Amino acid sequence: MNVPTVTHNGLSFINVNKPTTEQLSFLNKNFGFSMLNLEDYMYKTQIPKIEVDEDYSLLVMDVPYIQQGKSKAGTTRKTMPDILSGRMPFPALPRSAKRKRINIGEVDFFIGKDYLVILHDDRTPQIDELFDMCKITSKHREDLMGKGAVYLLYRIADILVDASFGYVEDITSTIDYIDRQLEEKSGTALIEDISVTRRNIVVFETMIKPLLPIFGDLEKSKYPKLNGEMVDYWSNLLDHLQKIWERLEDNKELIAGIASSNESVLSNRSNELVKFLTVITSISFPFVIVNNLYSMNVKGLPYATEPWIVYVLFLVIFAGGVAIISYFKYRDWL
C-alpha cells in the first residue's frame, strides 16, 4: 500500500493527500483508527474537535481556501523559509464584481506516540511542502520531527493558522478598496463586492469560532497526551487565533458601516431621480391640461379658431411652468 511516509528518530510522518478508500482501510487495519472517523473525513461531516482514544488522539481542524477554478491549488512553489514562517505570500484577489469566495477545508490529524498521520487535500498545499522538506533534508527532519509527534502537530497547525492571516489581510484590503470605490461610484459590482466580503467574513468566523475553545483547552492542559511541555506552544497558537478573530470582528464592523453608507448613497440617488421626475411631471402639467382641452373636438372653445391663440397658449404653458418652479424653490424642494 502506497502511504507516503517519512521516518526520523522513530517518528513517522504520514501524509495522505486525497485519501482513497484503500488507504483508509490500510490506516484502519495497521493503526487501529476508527472507521467512523475515517469515513467522516471522506464525507466531510465532522466539525473541529479533539477526541482522545486509548492509542491515539484525533484533532480535526478547518482551514480557509479559495476555489481556483481550473488552476491547481498550490502550483506556486513557496520557499522553505516562507513555509516555516507561516507568513507565505498571498496573491491579491482580482477586483471585480465576481469576487472569489472563501470556503472551508478540513484537515484531520491522528496523533500517536510515534507517528502523526494527516488526512487532507489540495486545499492545504503547505502540508505537502513541509512533507517534501522533511523528505529532502535531515536538517528539516530534525527541526520539525526531532521533538516528537505532538510538536510536529503544533508546527503544522501553527503554519496553517498563520497562513490564514493572508486571507484576513486580503479581506482588509478589499474593504479599503470598496471604501475608495464608494467615494467614486456605486452600482451592482460594488454591491456584490460588499455582499461577497460580508459572506467571506461570516464563513471565516464559522471556521475560527470552534477552534478557539479547542486550543483554549489545550492551553489549559485538558488533554495530558497533547500537553506536557507544549502548553506555551498552544498558548502562542491560541493567541494567533484570537488576533484573527479580533481582526475579523473589526472588519465585520467596517463592512457593515460601508454597506450602510452605500445604501444611503443609493437611497439618495433614488430620491434625486424621483425628485427630477416629479419636477418634469409638474412642469409638463400645464401643457397636458391645455393640450387635452384644445385637442378635444368640441365646439365653443374660446378663440379656438383664432390663429394667435397658439402663441397665447404657449405663453400660458410657459408661465405655468415658471410658477411651479418658483413655488418649488419657495418651499425649498429644489
Side-chain angles (χ1 to χ4, degrees), residues 64-98:
Y65 75 95
I66 292 178
Q67 188 66 41
Q68 297 294 336
K70 295 182 180 180
S71 62
K72 296 183 179 179
T75 53
T76 302
R77 302 286 291 183
K78 284 79 177 179
T79 64
M80 291 183 180
D82 286 336
I83 290 288
L84 292 176
S85 68
R87 300 303 180 90
M88 294 175 292
F90 186 81
L93 299 179
R95 307 303 182 188
S96 67
K98 296 182 179 179

Side-chain angles (χ1 to χ4, degrees), residues 273-293:
L273 178 60
V274 171
K275 183 188 293 185
F276 173 76
L277 295 176
T278 301
V279 171
I280 296 299
T281 302
S282 300
I283 292 175
S284 62
F285 189 63
F287 172 80
V288 173
I289 293 177
V290 173
N291 178 68
N292 289 341
L293 181 63

Side-chain angles (χ1 to χ4, degrees), residues 170-190:
D170 183 75
I171 289 174
T172 302
S173 64
T174 299
I175 293 174
D176 291 338
Y177 166 79
I178 293 173
D179 190 31
R180 292 193 302 270
Q181 289 294 103
L182 185 62
E183 298 175 359
E184 302 173 3
K185 60 182 180 180
S186 179
T188 303
L190 191 60

Side-chain angles (χ1 to χ4, degrees), residues 3 23 27-28 30 35 59 156 174 197 208 252 314:
V3 178
Q23 288 175 323
L27 295 175
N28 170 250
N30 290 270
M35 279 305 298
L59 169 63
I156 296 174
T174 299
T197 301
I208 295 295
K252 181 190 286 186
F314 274 119

Side-chain angles (χ1 to χ4, degrees), residues 65 147 164 197 270 291 310:
Y65 75 95
K147 297 181 181 179
S164 298
T197 301
S270 297
N291 178 68
V310 175

